[in-house]
Amino acid sequence: KLVINFLSVATKNIETAESPYHYVVFNNGVYNLETGEFQPYPANVILTSKLNIDYMPLDRISADVEVMDKFLDKLSGGNPEVKKFLIFLLGISCCRANVPKLLYVLKGGNSLECITAKSVFLGLFPAILGDSFSSYSLEELADKNSTSLLYSKSCNISDVSFKPDKMNFSNFRRVISGNTRTVKTDYGTLMFAPYTTMIFDVENMSDIEDTILKLSKNFKIIPLTDFDIEDDFDVNVLYKNENLLYLTLKALDVVKEFVSSKKFTTPAVIEEATLEYISNYNSVVGYCKDYPVEEVYSKELYFTQYEAWCKANNADKVCYSEFGKGLDIMKYKPDRKSYNNKKYHYYFNSKFN
């Protein structure tokens, strides 16, 4: 049996022997992301997730290519880099690997009066992933043992419309990192490495306040263009099987490109949105945005000026060690040099060598 059902085998301690993530499982067989080959279920491959669509070569699919591309173009605000990033997000959610190890926050309007583009995009994930998709809340995932809920899930989308009362950041960070977990369940002890791509659905970042700030550099905020989908698109067309397969194969190509190059470049607009959120709740980042280190700056002087900036802006001040951690987000690194038998301690902007 291709997909291991945990409930049927969890009568004792289990350690899953997962095959490499480049095997992507469709209803009718397995696609090898590295070779581009498709074959019936191989007996020597153990997989714990499966897509909800049938595979067919790209050149045999009668997809509405222009419609799908137009939808993604508009959703990404006409930014080709953001469009590619969204396609990558869909592709990595089809694989049993969260690379790079990030939480993705999709920011955009939600409405009870119309169907928004963001809701349609997010709806693509369960349509393609089927049982490999989940939508557990932050509260449900707060407990360490609740990680078992993510077993066999390649993507989880949490609706985060307010700051949660309960969230285990250390546990959440381990899930994102994909470290092997040992969790207790009603059926025994399960040992597995989470491969779930974690996505937050957020309307306004102010609604969740500083919820994800403790995840440090492990998240990216993706701003989406808001529009009423029914003004321009037929939702039924976007969810046609041929179009879902077309998007999936295009997305897997983007993942393959990333894996081959081992380079992951975040679009500038996403970096800016992420930094803006951090600066609103992190006084160090807010200060750095106002007074950036262009090349080098005295450590003592930079911290003294930070203290004055916090007082002038009624911002919460952090200690010297936490100040250094905040600078790491900005890629400001500490160093020291000796000159005339005197040591000089300073920060330098690593973006400029």
Side-chain angles (χ1 to χ4, degrees):
K1 188 175 180 180
L2 181 66
V3 180
I4 298 177
N5 184 337
F6 171 62
L7 296 181
S8 67
V9 298
T11 56
K12 56 183 180 179
N13 289 1
I14 304 163
E15 182 174 359
T16 62
E18 189 73 32
S19 292
Y21 76 91
H22 60 260
Y23 290 109
V24 181
V25 191
F26 289 80
N27 281 333
N28 55 338
V30 178
Y31 176 75
N32 189 321
L33 188 63
E34 291 186 347
T35 65
E37 297 177 344
F38 181 79
Q39 58 182 319
Y41 301 139
N44 62 335
V45 174
I46 299 177
L47 304 162
T48 53
S49 66
K50 178 178 73 65
L51 305 186
N52 194 40
I53 52 179
D54 293 338
Y55 174 84
M56 184 183 297
L58 193 60
D59 57 5
R60 291 175 54 191
I61 303 173
S62 56
D64 301 286
V65 175
E66 291 185 4
V67 173
M68 303 307 289
D69 284 347
K70 181 181 177 182
F71 168 67
L72 291 172
D73 283 338
K74 192 164 185 179
L75 181 67
S76 59
N79 186 318
E81 292 182 342
V82 175
K83 176 183 176 182
K84 187 174 183 178
F85 196 93
L86 292 174
I87 295 174
F88 167 81
L89 183 57
L90 184 61
I92 201 62
S93 297
C94 295
C95 302
R96 297 177 320 285
N98 176 15
V99 289
K101 301 182 184 306
L102 293 170
L103 162 70
Y104 304 92
V105 182
L106 268 61
K107 181 175 77 74
N110 295 318
S111 175
L112 298 176
E113 299 177 356
C114 65
I115 302 175
T116 65
K118 184 183 72 169
S119 65
V120 171
F121 177 71
L122 292 177
L124 294 171
F125 290 79
I128 293 171
L129 300 177
D131 291 338
S132 296
F133 171 84
S134 60
S135 55
Y136 295 113
S137 67
L138 301 187
E139 288 83 356
E140 289 175 297
L141 297 174
D143 183 76
K144 174 188 174 183
N145 290 322
S146 67
T147 306
S148 62
L149 296 172
L150 298 176
Y151 180 79
S152 80
K153 307 301 181 184
S154 60
C155 177
N156 184 87
I157 299 179
S158 300
D159 182 1
V160 189
S161 54
F162 56 89
K163 185 175 181 179
D165 295 329
K166 186 179 180 182
M167 183 175 179
N168 188 329
F169 288 99
S170 59
N171 180 58
F172 212 78
R173 190 177 290 109
R174 292 189 189 100
V175 169
I176 295 172
S177 67
N179 293 336
T180 299
R181 311 301 310 278
T182 301
V183 295
K184 295 180 180 179
T185 74
D186 294 338
Y187 305 94
T189 301
L190 173 67
M191 178 181 288
F192 75 110
Y195 48 66
T196 311
T197 296
M198 304 298 290
I199 299 174
F200 281 3
D201 174 12
V202 177
E203 183 170 3
N204 297 301
M205 298 307 299
S206 58
D207 293 339
I208 64 172
E209 300 179 10
D210 60 347
T211 297
I212 61 175
L213 202 60
K214 291 183 180 179
L215 294 176
S216 186
K217 298 179 291 184
N218 299 109
F219 66 89
K220 296 296 179 185
I221 296 174
I222 309 171
L224 301 179
T225 302
D226 296 332
F227 63 93
D228 182 348
I229 194 75
E230 294 177 307
D231 290 342
D232 299 282
F233 301 94
D234 183 341
V235 176
N236 293 323
V237 171
L238 296 174
Y239 284 168
K240 283 171 54 178
N241 287 336
E242 296 89 340
N243 292 335
L244 294 177
L245 179 57
Y246 164 75
L247 269 184
T248 301
L249 295 181
K250 296 293 288 185
L252 291 176
D253 280 345
V254 174
V255 172
K256 182 178 180 180
E257 177 185 333
F258 161 71
V259 173
S260 299
S261 64
K262 296 182 180 180
K263 293 181 180 178
F264 186 81
T265 303
T266 306
V269 65
I270 294 177
E271 290 289 3
E272 290 167 4
T274 304
L275 191 59
E276 180 182 1
Y277 166 74
I278 295 175
S279 65
N280 287 336
Y281 297 99
N282 185 314
S283 60
V284 179
V285 175
Y287 164 68
C288 292
K289 286 186 66 177
D290 286 351
Y291 298 95
V293 172
E294 299 295 346
E295 293 182 356
V296 297
Y297 214 101
S298 163
K299 290 179 67 174
E300 182 179 353
L301 180 59
Y302 203 50
F303 182 71
T304 299
Q305 292 179 343
Y306 160 72
E307 292 179 307
W309 179 91
C310 287
K311 185 175 182 180
N313 290 274
N314 195 28
D316 293 331
K317 183 183 68 173
V318 300
C319 65
Y320 191 77
S321 61
E322 290 298 317
F323 179 72
K325 293 178 182 179
L327 295 183
D328 191 51
I329 297 175
M330 303 296 296
K331 299 188 183 332
Y332 297 169
K333 305 297 183 182
D335 202 354
R336 64 182 182 181
K337 297 288 184 183
S338 295
Y339 182 72
N340 287 340
N341 296 322
K342 185 177 181 180
K343 292 181 179 179
Y344 294 88
H345 298 261
Y346 60 89
Y347 295 112
F348 69 95
N349 192 333
S350 61
K351 295 178 182 178
F352 302 102
N353 296 322

